[in-house]
Amino acid sequence: MKILRLLGALIALAAPMAVALQARAADAPKVLVFHLATGYRHASIDAGVPALKALGAREKIRVEASDDPNVFNAETLKGYRAIVFLNATTQRQKPESEWLAGERRAALQAFVRGGGGVVGIHAATDSHYGWDWYGRLMGARFARHPPGTPKGSLTVADTRHPALGGLPTRFDRVDEWYYFDDYDPTSRLLVALDPASIGEPDVNPNPISWVRTFEGGRVFYTAMGHTPESFSDPLVLKHIAAGLNWVLRRR
């Protein structure tokens, strides 16, 4: 009889705990990782999707991944708190390659204007050249990159911003280093590249990571993420996690 009473007490305790755990899971923000590439397709997408899902599990974020552009409709986007554009490209000279068109554009605009967060990783700026709003959302347009993946020297420009994720003040890493057109100087620069470290003749620090607030939404962008190895680099993953938490307004 005592054993039965004990089992009954344990069951009574377990039931509210299970409900509480389910409630916490339901409260976890849901994030879309979108990775369609109708332009250049980066091999790092295949490493980035599982890495971002694992990152979400660690950060208590529900991560869903898709390359179906039909996800950009008002009803579906209501379920997400942020969108990560993971090397999602189009072709500069082919407007027909742009998967955000018509109502899909309106859905993304409504999402951002409603306070939704956006994370751009690497080639997210190499996309939708025919849509000015998208370029202004990201804060810059991809212009070019030097050949290969040289080791570059990076400097943190804003040591206090929570989207840094504990990056050291100075560090080196291998990647493909983007140069940009139309960089918006109102963005808050987080990380800059020393061009001399990759053999470039210019003397001005090149922006690599930044944050901005745009039409009601928060935006975090980093040009890191060309190589598959980027998504096993603890520094890069911490930086992306911090940026994602910032656009989710958790930091």
Side-chain angles (χ1 to χ4, degrees):
M1 187 65 68
K2 289 182 179 180
I3 292 174
L4 290 175
R5 285 199 297 268
L6 179 59
L7 286 173
L10 289 172
I11 291 169
L13 285 171
M17 288 176 63
V19 171
L21 287 171
Q22 289 175 353
R24 282 199 291 272
D27 289 341
K30 190 163 71 168
V31 169
L32 171 66
V33 173
F34 191 74
H35 55 91
L36 176 62
T38 57
Y40 180 80
R41 188 185 189 281
H42 286 70
S44 60
I45 289 174
D46 296 329
V49 170
L52 292 174
K53 287 183 176 180
L55 181 156
R58 291 192 297 272
E59 298 292 324
K60 296 180 172 55
I61 297 168
R62 291 181 290 161
V63 173
E64 296 180 356
S66 177
D67 62 358
D68 181 357
N70 290 318
V71 74
F72 288 93
N73 66 79
E75 191 59 33
T76 301
L77 292 187
K78 282 180 184 177
Y80 297 106
R81 292 265 306 278
I83 301 169
V84 179
F85 289 99
L86 172 61
N87 286 324
T89 60
T90 65
Q91 297 182 54
R92 189 189 299 260
Q93 304 301 330
K94 292 186 177 181
E96 65 272 19
S97 71
E98 297 188 1
W99 28 264
L100 288 173
E103 291 303 311
R104 294 174 186 167
R105 290 187 177 186
L108 179 59
Q109 287 176 318
F111 175 81
V112 171
R113 291 165 182 167
V118 172
V119 171
I121 297 178
H122 191 59
T125 51
D126 185 19
S127 191
H128 288 83
Y129 293 91
W131 189 19
D132 177 68
W133 186 88
Y134 181 87
R136 291 187 288 114
L137 169 72
M138 287 295 164
R141 293 276 192 195
F142 165 70
R144 66 178 183 89
H145 63 77
T149 53
K151 181 182 287 187
S153 295
L154 300 154
T155 302
V156 168
D158 186 343
T159 58
R160 297 184 179 183
H161 199 280
L164 282 169
L167 290 180
T169 305
R170 295 179 183 273
F171 61 104
D172 295 344
R173 66 179 312 274
V174 169
D175 216 317
E176 180 181 73
W177 301 111
Y178 275 10
Y179 278 67
F180 299 96
D181 286 331
D182 302 324
Y183 173 70
D184 187 343
T186 67
S187 297
R188 189 164 175 177
L189 180 63
L190 300 180
V191 181
L193 169 74
D194 176 8
S197 68
I198 60 169
E200 286 288 300
D202 55 312
V203 296
N204 297 310
N206 189 41
I208 294 298
S209 299
W210 59 80
V211 291
R212 55 196 281 100
T213 300
F214 182 76
E215 295 190 4
R218 287 185 172 186
V219 180
F220 163 81
Y221 173 80
T222 180
M224 292 181 263
H226 171 80
T227 64
E229 292 78 12
S230 296
F231 293 97
S232 58
D233 183 334
L235 285 180
V236 175
L237 292 174
K238 286 181 181 179
H239 188 34
I240 293 172
L244 179 55
N245 276 301
W246 182 78
V247 304
L248 288 169
R249 303 175 193 268
R250 298 168 97 192
R251 295 185 180 178

